[in-house]
Amino acid sequence: MSHVIRLALAMHIPACARALKLPLTLDELAAAGFAPATLPNSRSAAEGTGQVVAITFDDGPHPEGTPQVLEVLAEHGATATFFLVGEQVVKRPELAQRIVQEGHAVALHGYRHIAHPSRSRKQMLEDFDRGTAAIEDATGVTPRLHRPPYGVYSPASLRIARERGLQPLLWASWGRDWRKLATPEDITARVVSHLRAGDVILLHDADFYSAVRSHRRTAAALPMILRMLQSAELATVAYA
Ligand SMILES: [Zn+2]
């Protein structure tokens, strides 16, 4: 199905797409007003003295990537939002706890990192609830934001997210840092080009579901990104 037709259908979601059992990308949800890519208060932040962006990290916690990223954030006095995967949280709850203790926000990326359209409603119900419980057990925080693996919902999973009171969150800027050929320099360039106050930035602090050791390139890019934010007088917020 062409992108234009899918987009047109997405404008009438969830009912229309649900009837046709279409997968729903976050882009389509954003077009329909369901998944913001910028901070809801970005206009007031931009008008005030402090301009902000939200850095988000997907796919952790990771035994090497998450501590590396946390250390860089701490060195720069920056905060971020971590979209955690439940199956990783249960393996290392102390890292999820450390994220919160260091002043960052946690959000739900799912229990398993499997594309929603390939899963049944029953599987998705279990995934949302197990993922939320894993984060709550490890951190004491109930996530309010959700981002599906690969940025794609199924009609059933979008309905579940809404039933659970979870807000889908998109991004305005990404480093495409999951790729094998990404370098710290081009991750940085992609993130900062066209960046505006209020934007949500997508990065990954784990290589569980992407190119091997991709988190090392993200961690190497992060000091450059933070220095550029600093020189653009953009502060970071832990959006939750
Ligand atoms: Zn992911």
Side-chain angles (χ1 to χ4, degrees), residues 109-124:
H109 198 35
Y111 186 82
R112 299 188 64 194
H113 199 277
I114 298 175
H116 291 185
S118 67
R119 310 187 77 192
S120 69
R121 173 171 166 83
K122 187 165 173 283
Q123 288 173 321
M124 287 316 314

Side-chain angles (χ1 to χ4, degrees), residues 39-149:
L39 301 174
N41 59 351
S42 59
R43 184 171 295 163
S44 57
E47 285 164 358
T49 49
Q51 295 195 317
V52 294
V53 293
I55 301 178
T56 65
F57 292 97
D58 286 7
D59 294 358
H62 185 285
E64 183 181 89
T66 305
Q68 283 177 349
V69 158
L70 287 174
E71 276 150 36
V72 176
L73 291 170
E75 280 163 21
H76 290 77
T79 49
T81 301
F82 290 76
F83 282 83
L84 302 177
V85 180
E87 67 181 4
Q88 305 302 339
V89 172
V90 296
K91 286 182 198 160
R92 45 195 77 87
E94 70 292 344
L95 259 183
Q97 203 172 46
R98 180 177 159 192
I99 291 169
V100 172
Q101 281 167 350
E102 296 191 11
H104 308 288
V106 288
L108 180 64
H109 198 35
Y111 186 82
R112 299 188 64 194
H113 199 277
I114 298 175
H116 291 185
S118 67
R119 310 187 77 192
S120 69
R121 173 171 166 83
K122 187 165 173 283
Q123 288 173 321
M124 287 316 314
L125 273 169
E126 188 188 324
D127 194 279
F128 273 85
D129 292 344
R130 281 182 85 188
T132 299
I135 293 171
E136 285 176 340
D137 290 349
T139 67
V141 175
T142 300
R144 192 185 68 82
L145 300 174
H146 177 258
R147 181 180 287 155

